[in-house]
Amino acid sequence: MMDRRTVLGVMAGAAASSLMVNSGLARQGGNALPVTIAIDEAIGTIKPELYSQFAEHIGGVIYDGIWVGPDSKIPNVRGVRKDIIDHVKRIGKVVVRWPGGCFADAYHWRDGIGPVAKRPKRYGRWQEDIEPNTFGTHEFLDFCKLCEVTPYLAANVGTGTPQEFQNWVEYCNAPDGRTTLAEERAINGSPEPFGVRYWGVGNESWGCGGKFTPEDYCREYRKFTEWVPAFGVPLYLIAAGPNSNDLDWTRRFFQKWVDGARAPISGWAPHYYCGTTGHALKFSTDQWYEMFKKALVMEKLITDQWAVIGEFDRQHKIKFIIDEWGAWHPAGTEINKHHLFEQMGCLRDALVAALSLDIFNRHAEKIDMANVAQLVNNLHSLFLADGDKFVATPTFHVFEMYKAHHGGKSLRIDAEAPAVSFKDGTIPRLAGAASIKGKTLTISLVNTHATEPAEVDLRLKGTKGTCVAHRVLTDTNLAAHNTFERPDAIKPRDEQVTSGDLRRVLPPASVNVITVTLA
Ligand code: AHR
């Protein structure tokens, strides 16, 4: 269903995001939907970190998903599943956050160093799992090295101490021989400092991270971030932000922050999950649209939170680290009953990923990092693994397709398209982002309509260009997904671009990445 109402996209001004949604007609032939890209209106650089990942000690993420052990028959490099290494490399120079999540606030890093046989087994943070501590700091940092990604360590505020946090920083970053902790690191196999830059100080401190009030968390944050040893590494300290768009949490935290000494904060970390009431794979068309309506709330979260932070940090030195986001479906599609929160990701999740990444792209100047939850065997995962089986989900394909945006300058983009109406209101028919690198323009566009294609007319404000590639991820089955038996059931394909024409047809229910070479 479509209506013809005119809905204005977010327009000009310093905080402008560029998008979408006026009225128009989506039909092939005559009236293509105009999509205008302002080549000279750059918003900010799209950092590869916007495409980052999250790996927690929970269910099957670490044990099975990432770590199979060096003695396993499953192909591995120093214990890390080889399939994971090969695939993570394909999404680019991203960051991986570890060890949680809620797990981080019950994790003591010393449990995970030294000879594996001597490491303690602990009561797990989740369900009745026992944490063997086989995968600790050295194994995680080796995983990052193998995958060519950057580590982000999340420190324990809930049950840890400032001293424990500061010692972890020293253990990771002090030069060999400088301190006793550095010597211990060398004995454990790594004389070279790890040089870890990203440090989270607590997770969901309003909830599983200690149920703090914003004021109490601010007080803790100050204690944790005073006396952090830098050892020449410019540390990027991340404060736990609100649950979804809780403006009261943010305002109260920052009110307390400015009332006293302003502890160093580089990143503010809100979490936002878009949940469904239905099933990961069995859903109605209304539930298809409902999911996107929820995913698009991310944009309001970013603009609202940004405005509140700006009341206290007028120059906006603090950026967003949206270190947990994604679709969260009820249980029922786990491939292994030990994989807590695992869900089967389908085409609908791929569109949620594309809509979210495009929001991040459009707000590139405000965001330093965003981490989908979670890399493997969990919520909105890129991969599923069980024993010797491994498969990439449709969401992985979106991350790989969107790699073209990494390092580009995000440009203002406006699309005119009719909204799609459904049981709970309307959603934009088209959403997307554009970025430029030299003479190459990358345009990502999502056609949310479940059944109708959309012809778009790409208009380049201020220049001319030729379409050289159009890659699309779609399927006639809205719940299309990949399984161990059919790993390529849904994968991207290249559309023909023979004439270089800037009119493109976006199939229904599709994620598109269009490449244009500028004159
Ligand atoms: O991603 C799963 C859990 O969701 C994380 O541990 C927690 O931070 C969030 O509530």
Side-chain angles (χ1 to χ4, degrees):
M1 253 195 310
M2 285 191 293
D3 71 16
R4 305 286 298 275
R5 284 182 317 140
T6 296
V7 187
L8 291 177
V10 183
M11 306 295 272
S17 101
S18 48
L19 164 84
M20 71 205 179
V21 217
N22 292 314
S23 91
L25 190 64
R27 69 164 187 251
Q28 296 187 48
N31 294 327
L33 304 172
V35 174
T36 307
I37 297 114
I39 304 293
D40 54 356
E41 287 188 50
I43 293 163
T45 299
I46 298 174
K47 304 166 191 86
E49 290 84 353
L50 268 50
Y51 292 74
S52 291
Q53 303 295 317
F54 169 36
E56 178 169 16
H57 285 243
I58 178 174
V61 178
I62 301 296
Y63 302 110
D64 208 6
I66 291 176
W67 184 256
V68 295
D71 302 327
S72 171
K73 289 203 179 82
I74 300 165
N76 69 85
V77 183
R78 301 194 289 271
V80 177
R81 184 185 282 276
K82 187 165 180 315
D83 277 326
I84 273 279
I85 299 170
D86 295 344
H87 281 77
V88 172
K89 277 184 186 168
R90 286 170 56 182
I91 60 172
K93 303 279 175 208
V94 303
V95 175
V96 181
R97 174 182 185 237
W98 175 85
C102 294
F103 180 86
D105 277 298
Y107 180 69
H108 300 284
W109 65 270
R110 293 203 70 93
D111 287 352
I113 59 165
V116 174
K118 291 196 174 157
R119 295 186 193 172
K121 294 179 183 55
R122 302 282 187 208
Y123 177 76
R125 181 70 179 77
W126 300 99
Q127 294 178 328
E128 296 297 311
D129 285 350
I130 297 301
E131 171 55 51
N133 282 304
T134 320
F135 190 87
T137 302
H138 288 257
E139 288 78 15
F140 173 67
L141 294 166
D142 193 38
F143 155 79
C144 290
K145 200 170 167 186
L146 291 167
C147 298
E148 298 167 9
V149 298
T150 304
Y152 161 7
L153 297 181
N156 179 352
V157 171
T159 62
T161 63
Q163 186 68 61
E164 182 183 4
F165 166 54
Q166 290 155 14
N167 286 351
W168 199 13
V169 178
E170 182 179 325
Y171 182 84
C172 288
N173 292 354
D176 188 19
R178 275 290 288 290
T179 73
T180 302
L181 282 169
E183 282 164 11
E184 188 178 0
R185 185 193 64 230
I187 291 165
N188 289 333
S190 302
E192 282 304 306
F194 294 122
V196 177
R197 180 167 172 249
Y198 294 110
W199 292 90
V201 183
N203 167 76
E204 299 194 352
S205 301
W206 39 266
C208 67
K211 293 212 168 42
F212 292 110
T213 64
E215 293 81 11
D216 286 346
Y217 172 61
C218 186
R219 205 170 291 129
E220 289 301 303
Y221 185 90
R222 281 195 184 120
K223 284 197 276 177
F224 272 70
T225 54
E226 192 66 26
W227 301 112
V228 189
F231 291 112
V233 179
L235 299 184
Y236 190 110
L237 298 171
I238 299 158
N243 182 13
S244 302
N245 192 11
D246 182 347
L247 294 171
D248 183 56
W249 170 273
T250 301
R251 191 170 274 118
R252 283 171 56 191
F253 175 92
F254 281 103
Q255 188 61 61
K256 182 82 187 162
W257 182 67
V258 294
D259 281 352
R262 296 181 181 217
I265 302 177
S266 308
W268 180 244
H271 288 176
Y272 178 66
Y273 288 98
C274 44
T276 36
T277 45
H279 188 272
L281 296 178
K282 293 177 203 146
F283 49 85
S284 64
T285 311
D286 276 321
Q287 286 170 318
W288 164 266
Y289 294 125
E290 176 206 33
M291 198 70 222
F292 304 149
K293 190 173 171 106
K294 288 181 176 170
L296 291 165
V297 168
M298 179 70 87
E299 184 143 39
K300 182 166 162 48
L301 180 154
I302 290 170
T303 50
D304 287 357
Q305 292 282 326
W306 188 252
V308 169
I309 297 168
E311 293 168 18
F312 306 93
D313 170 32
R314 294 198 186 282
Q315 293 176 311
H316 278 302
K317 290 196 173 143
I318 300 169
K319 309 287 192 222
F320 286 120
I321 299 281
I322 303 171
D323 54 18
E324 285 185 35
W325 67 269
W328 192 323
H329 305 295
T333 55
E334 304 81 359
I335 51 165
N336 179 323
K337 67 179 172 41
H338 298 296
H339 294 179
L340 183 65
F341 296 159
E342 183 173 64
Q343 57 193 34
M344 186 58 81
C346 71
L347 177 62
R348 180 172 61 159
D349 303 285
L351 265 75
V352 168
L355 292 170
S356 306
L357 293 172
D358 278 333
I359 292 170
F360 304 150
N361 292 334
R362 294 196 302 269
H363 292 275
E365 84 288 14
K366 306 181 186 77
I367 312 175
D368 274 351
M369 192 195 301
N371 310 61
V372 65
Q374 303 192 12
L375 180 66
V376 54
N377 289 349
N378 198 255
L379 298 168
H380 199 154
S381 292
L382 276 66
F383 311 109
L384 300 174
D386 191 18
D388 59 357
K389 302 190 193 77
F390 181 88
V391 69
T393 67
T395 293
F396 161 73
H397 291 304
V398 172
F399 273 75
E400 191 176 39
M401 287 165 74
Y402 273 44
K403 202 166 81 172
H405 280 305
H406 293 197
K409 288 252 179 265
S410 177
L411 300 176
R412 181 191 167 83
I413 173 170
D414 294 289
E416 292 181 27
V420 184
S421 305
F422 72 110
K423 181 169 81 43
D424 296 329
T426 60
I427 59 158
R429 160 96 183 228
L430 284 182
S435 68
I436 189 168
K437 267 188 264 180
K439 290 273 178 205
T440 303
L441 177 65
T442 300
I443 302 157
S444 43
L445 285 171
V446 176
N447 178 7
T448 59
H449 203 290
T451 54
E452 292 180 13
E455 186 181 28
V456 294
D457 179 11
L458 303 174
R459 298 178 181 175
L460 314 181
K461 226 167 111 191
T463 189
K464 291 197 164 73
T466 314
C467 179
V468 292
H470 178 176
R471 203 158 166 73
V472 60
L473 183 74
T474 188
D475 203 286
T476 47
N477 171 12
L478 300 181
H481 57 281
N482 294 328
T483 59
F484 297 139
E485 295 72 32
R486 294 187 61 221
D488 288 331
I490 166 165
K491 63 176 184 184
R493 63 166 194 253
D494 289 313
E495 300 285 75
Q496 284 214 321
V497 286
T498 37
S499 67
D501 194 355
L502 293 179
R503 280 182 180 231
R504 304 299 313 164
V505 176
L506 315 181
S510 65
V511 179
N512 303 263
V513 173
I514 297 164
T515 313
V516 172
T517 300
L518 299 178

PDB file of all heavy atoms in Angstrom, residues 11 22 67 108 156 164 169 187 237 354 363 393 414 477 500 505:
ATOM      1  N   MET A  11      16.375  18.414   6.413  1.00  0.00           N
ATOM      2  CA  MET A  11      17.049  19.318   5.495  1.00  0.00           C
ATOM      3  C   MET A  11      18.164  20.101   6.174  1.00  0.00           C
ATOM      4  O   MET A  11      18.478  19.897   7.326  1.00  0.00           O
ATOM      5  CB  MET A  11      16.025  20.278   4.868  1.00  0.00           C
ATOM      6  CG  MET A  11      14.865  19.556   4.203  1.00  0.00           C
ATOM      7  SD  MET A  11      15.341  18.560   2.786  1.00  0.00           S
ATOM      8  CE  MET A  11      15.235  19.777   1.507  1.00  0.00           C
ATOM      9  N   ASN A  22       9.802  12.458  -0.297  1.00  0.00           N
ATOM     10  CA  ASN A  22       8.755  13.402  -0.657  1.00  0.00           C
ATOM     11  C   ASN A  22       7.687  12.595  -1.379  1.00  0.00           C
ATOM     12  O   ASN A  22       7.582  11.409  -1.182  1.00  0.00           O
ATOM     13  CB  ASN A  22       9.312  14.516  -1.532  1.00  0.00           C
ATOM     14  CG  ASN A  22      10.258  15.390  -0.742  1.00  0.00           C
ATOM     15  OD1 ASN A  22       9.946  15.769   0.374  1.00  0.00           O
ATOM     16  ND2 ASN A  22      11.414  15.674  -1.274  1.00  0.00           N
ATOM     17  N   TRP A  67      36.294 -19.270  18.614  1.00  0.00           N
ATOM     18  CA  TRP A  67      37.382 -20.091  19.149  1.00  0.00           C
ATOM     19  C   TRP A  67      37.033 -21.574  19.048  1.00  0.00           C
ATOM     20  O   TRP A  67      36.042 -22.016  19.626  1.00  0.00           O
ATOM     21  CB  TRP A  67      37.638 -19.713  20.619  1.00  0.00           C
ATOM     22  CG  TRP A  67      38.785 -20.428  21.247  1.00  0.00           C
ATOM     23  CD1 TRP A  67      38.710 -21.479  22.136  1.00  0.00           C
ATOM     24  CD2 TRP A  67      40.179 -20.169  21.051  1.00  0.00           C
ATOM     25  NE1 TRP A  67      39.975 -21.869  22.495  1.00  0.00           N
ATOM     26  CE2 TRP A  67      40.902 -21.083  21.838  1.00  0.00           C
ATOM     27  CE3 TRP A  67      40.882 -19.245  20.274  1.00  0.00           C
ATOM     28  CZ2 TRP A  67      42.286 -21.107  21.885  1.00  0.00           C
ATOM     29  CZ3 TRP A  67      42.276 -19.264  20.310  1.00  0.00           C
ATOM     30  CH2 TRP A  67      42.957 -20.191  21.109  1.00  0.00           C
ATOM     31  N   HIS A 108      36.820 -10.530  35.043  1.00  0.00           N
ATOM     32  CA  HIS A 108      38.094 -10.084  35.611  1.00  0.00           C
ATOM     33  C   HIS A 108      39.205 -10.542  34.676  1.00  0.00           C
ATOM     34  O   HIS A 108      39.430 -11.744  34.511  1.00  0.00           O
ATOM     35  CB  HIS A 108      38.260 -10.637  37.032  1.00  0.00           C
ATOM     36  CG  HIS A 108      37.146 -10.165  37.933  1.00  0.00           C
ATOM     37  ND1 HIS A 108      37.095  -8.885  38.431  1.00  0.00           N
ATOM     38  CD2 HIS A 108      36.015 -10.791  38.334  1.00  0.00           C
ATOM     39  CE1 HIS A 108      35.991  -8.738  39.144  1.00  0.00           C
ATOM     40  NE2 HIS A 108      35.323  -9.869  39.104  1.00  0.00           N
ATOM     41  N   ASN A 156      35.329  -3.654  33.263  1.00  0.00           N
ATOM     42  CA  ASN A 156      34.351  -4.039  34.271  1.00  0.00           C
ATOM     43  C   ASN A 156      34.169  -2.926  35.317  1.00  0.00           C
ATOM     44  O   ASN A 156      35.030  -2.738  36.179  1.00  0.00           O
ATOM     45  CB  ASN A 156      34.877  -5.331  34.921  1.00  0.00           C
ATOM     46  CG  ASN A 156      33.979  -5.847  36.024  1.00  0.00           C
ATOM     47  OD1 ASN A 156      33.030  -5.190  36.432  1.00  0.00           O
ATOM     48  ND2 ASN A 156      34.301  -7.044  36.507  1.00  0.00           N
ATOM     49  N   GLU A 164      41.792  -2.274  38.851  1.00  0.00           N
ATOM     50  CA  GLU A 164      41.803  -3.431  37.950  1.00  0.00           C
ATOM     51  C   GLU A 164      41.779  -2.957  36.486  1.00  0.00           C
ATOM     52  O   GLU A 164      42.495  -3.486  35.632  1.00  0.00           O
ATOM     53  CB  GLU A 164      40.580  -4.309  38.251  1.00  0.00           C
ATOM     54  CG  GLU A 164      40.519  -5.555  37.406  1.00  0.00           C
ATOM     55  CD  GLU A 164      39.257  -6.389  37.670  1.00  0.00           C
ATOM     56  OE1 GLU A 164      38.389  -5.968  38.461  1.00  0.00           O
ATOM     57  OE2 GLU A 164      39.155  -7.463  37.057  1.00  0.00           O
ATOM     58  N   VAL A 169      44.905  -1.752  31.332  1.00  0.00           N
ATOM     59  CA  VAL A 169      45.465  -0.837  30.322  1.00  0.00           C
ATOM     60  C   VAL A 169      46.992  -0.949  30.340  1.00  0.00           C
ATOM     61  O   VAL A 169      47.638  -1.057  29.291  1.00  0.00           O
ATOM     62  CB  VAL A 169      45.016   0.622  30.586  1.00  0.00           C
ATOM     63  CG1 VAL A 169      45.648   1.571  29.566  1.00  0.00           C
ATOM     64  CG2 VAL A 169      43.485   0.752  30.550  1.00  0.00           C
ATOM     65  N   ILE A 187      56.111 -12.586  29.461  1.00  0.00           N
ATOM     66  CA  ILE A 187      56.189 -14.005  29.853  1.00  0.00           C
ATOM     67  C   ILE A 187      55.020 -14.782  29.240  1.00  0.00           C
ATOM     68  O   ILE A 187      55.143 -15.927  28.834  1.00  0.00           O
ATOM     69  CB  ILE A 187      56.193 -14.128  31.402  1.00  0.00           C
ATOM     70  CG1 ILE A 187      57.508 -13.580  31.949  1.00  0.00           C
ATOM     71  CG2 ILE A 187      55.958 -15.560  31.866  1.00  0.00           C
ATOM     72  CD1 ILE A 187      57.508 -13.311  33.450  1.00  0.00           C
ATOM     73  N   LEU A 237      38.358   6.865  25.382  1.00  0.00           N
ATOM     74  CA  LEU A 237      37.553   6.358  26.496  1.00  0.00           C
ATOM     75  C   LEU A 237      36.063   6.519  26.197  1.00  0.00           C
ATOM     76  O   LEU A 237      35.604   7.578  25.775  1.00  0.00           O
ATOM     77  CB  LEU A 237      37.923   7.100  27.784  1.00  0.00           C
ATOM     78  CG  LEU A 237      39.391   6.918  28.222  1.00  0.00           C
ATOM     79  CD1 LEU A 237      39.742   7.856  29.375  1.00  0.00           C
ATOM     80  CD2 LEU A 237      39.651   5.464  28.628  1.00  0.00           C
ATOM     81  N   ALA A 354      21.025  -2.539   6.338  1.00  0.00           N
ATOM     82  CA  ALA A 354      21.290  -1.497   5.335  1.00  0.00           C
ATOM     83  C   ALA A 354      20.683  -0.157   5.764  1.00  0.00           C
ATOM     84  O   ALA A 354      21.336   0.892   5.661  1.00  0.00           O
ATOM     85  CB  ALA A 354      20.728  -1.930   3.981  1.00  0.00           C
ATOM     86  N   HIS A 363      24.978  10.374   9.054  1.00  0.00           N
ATOM     87  CA  HIS A 363      25.364  11.154  10.242  1.00  0.00           C
ATOM     88  C   HIS A 363      26.843  10.935  10.556  1.00  0.00           C
ATOM     89  O   HIS A 363      27.240  10.919  11.727  1.00  0.00           O
ATOM     90  CB  HIS A 363      24.491  10.758  11.434  1.00  0.00           C
ATOM     91  CG  HIS A 363      23.066  11.172  11.266  1.00  0.00           C
ATOM     92  ND1 HIS A 363      22.605  12.419  11.603  1.00  0.00           N
ATOM     93  CD2 HIS A 363      22.015  10.511  10.735  1.00  0.00           C
ATOM     94  CE1 HIS A 363      21.321  12.504  11.313  1.00  0.00           C
ATOM     95  NE2 HIS A 363      20.938  11.361  10.779  1.00  0.00           N
ATOM     96  N   THR A 393      25.416 -14.914   6.682  1.00  0.00           N
ATOM     97  CA  THR A 393      24.005 -14.518   6.588  1.00  0.00           C
ATOM     98  C   THR A 393      23.851 -13.402   5.540  1.00  0.00           C
ATOM     99  O   THR A 393      24.842 -12.772   5.138  1.00  0.00           O
ATOM    100  CB  THR A 393      23.502 -13.991   7.946  1.00  0.00           C
ATOM    101  OG1 THR A 393      24.203 -12.758   8.221  1.00  0.00           O
ATOM    102  CG2 THR A 393      23.746 -14.968   9.078  1.00  0.00           C
ATOM    103  N   ASP A 414      18.849  13.342  -1.341  1.00  0.00           N
ATOM    104  CA  ASP A 414      17.405  13.511  -1.126  1.00  0.00           C
ATOM    105  C   ASP A 414      16.649  12.677  -2.149  1.00  0.00           C
ATOM    106  O   ASP A 414      16.908  12.797  -3.339  1.00  0.00           O
ATOM    107  CB  ASP A 414      17.000  14.978  -1.286  1.00  0.00           C
ATOM    108  CG  ASP A 414      17.607  15.847  -0.202  1.00  0.00           C
ATOM    109  OD1 ASP A 414      17.173  15.721   0.942  1.00  0.00           O
ATOM    110  OD2 ASP A 414      18.530  16.613  -0.516  1.00  0.00           O
ATOM    111  N   ASN A 477      11.357 -14.216  -1.859  1.00  0.00           N
ATOM    112  CA  ASN A 477      10.954 -14.679  -0.529  1.00  0.00           C
ATOM    113  C   ASN A 477      11.516 -13.700   0.509  1.00  0.00           C
ATOM    114  O   ASN A 477      12.733 -13.616   0.685  1.00  0.00           O
ATOM    115  CB  ASN A 477      11.500 -16.102  -0.322  1.00  0.00           C
ATOM    116  CG  ASN A 477      11.319 -16.581   1.102  1.00  0.00           C
ATOM    117  OD1 ASN A 477      10.595 -15.966   1.896  1.00  0.00           O
ATOM    118  ND2 ASN A 477      11.980 -17.693   1.431  1.00  0.00           N
ATOM    119  N   GLY A 500      25.327   2.922 -19.026  1.00  0.00           N
ATOM    120  CA  GLY A 500      25.819   3.938 -18.086  1.00  0.00           C
ATOM    121  C   GLY A 500      24.717   4.862 -17.596  1.00  0.00           C
ATOM    122  O   GLY A 500      24.959   5.877 -16.944  1.00  0.00           O
ATOM    123  N   VAL A 505      16.562   0.526 -11.907  1.00  0.00           N
ATOM    124  CA  VAL A 505      15.377  -0.097 -11.315  1.00  0.00           C
ATOM    125  C   VAL A 505      15.810  -0.881 -10.074  1.00  0.00           C
ATOM    126  O   VAL A 505      16.687  -1.744 -10.147  1.00  0.00           O
ATOM    127  CB  VAL A 505      14.668  -1.028 -12.326  1.00  0.00           C
ATOM    128  CG1 VAL A 505      13.501  -1.745 -11.641  1.00  0.00           C
ATOM    129  CG2 VAL A 505      14.181  -0.221 -13.521  1.00  0.00           C
TER     130      VAL A 505
END
